[in-house]
Amino acid sequence: MKRLFWLGVGIATGVALTRKAKETARQATPAGIAGNLGEAMRELAGAIGSFGADVRAGMVEREEELSEVVEQRSGVSPVARHALGVRDEQAARRVPAARDARARRAGS
């Protein structure tokens, strides 16, 4: 009985090691390397997609914070500002002037 037990343990170990060796050898072939590379690319694409989604969510959150600050300081909500007819061209003309003023202050 004892010999039969050890024979079974040996067979099980041999089968497990043989399967592991075959899997390792398959991964070393060009097809196995291509499969691993393909899986890595899929994981990378998923990570980049989730990073982009996080960035977009952060941008939306920051835009809401900035809108609240503008509303608190000016007393005019962005919706009301658009309703009053403040056009984007006027705002775009003011941005370079503000940048120039900041640059002058930084330089002095």
Side-chain angles (χ1 to χ4, degrees):
M1 199 63 176
K2 188 174 168 181
R3 290 182 185 172
L4 189 58
F5 170 75
W6 288 112
L7 177 66
V9 169
I11 290 173
T13 303
V15 168
L17 289 175
T18 303
R19 287 184 179 175
K20 183 69 174 174
K22 282 183 182 179
E23 180 62 27
T24 303
R26 188 196 68 74
Q27 288 179 353
T29 64
I33 292 170
N36 289 340
L37 183 61
E39 181 63 30
M41 293 301 288
R42 280 189 290 278
E43 288 179 19
L44 179 63
I48 289 172
S50 100
F51 174 74
D54 290 344
V55 168
R56 285 188 297 276
M59 287 173 32
V60 167
E61 183 179 324
R62 181 65 177 150
E63 185 177 354
E64 289 171 359
E65 290 172 3
L66 292 174
S67 293
E68 289 174 11
V69 169
V70 167
E71 186 175 353
Q72 288 172 354
R73 290 185 180 175
S74 68
V76 179
S77 71
V79 174
R81 188 171 145 217
H82 287 296
L84 291 173
V86 175
R87 295 179 18 203
D88 290 334
E89 298 96 36
Q90 292 171 345
R93 278 188 234 127
R94 280 182 264 157
V95 170
R99 243 185 263 139
D100 292 341
R102 273 186 258 138
R104 281 192 300 272
R105 280 182 285 188
S108 52

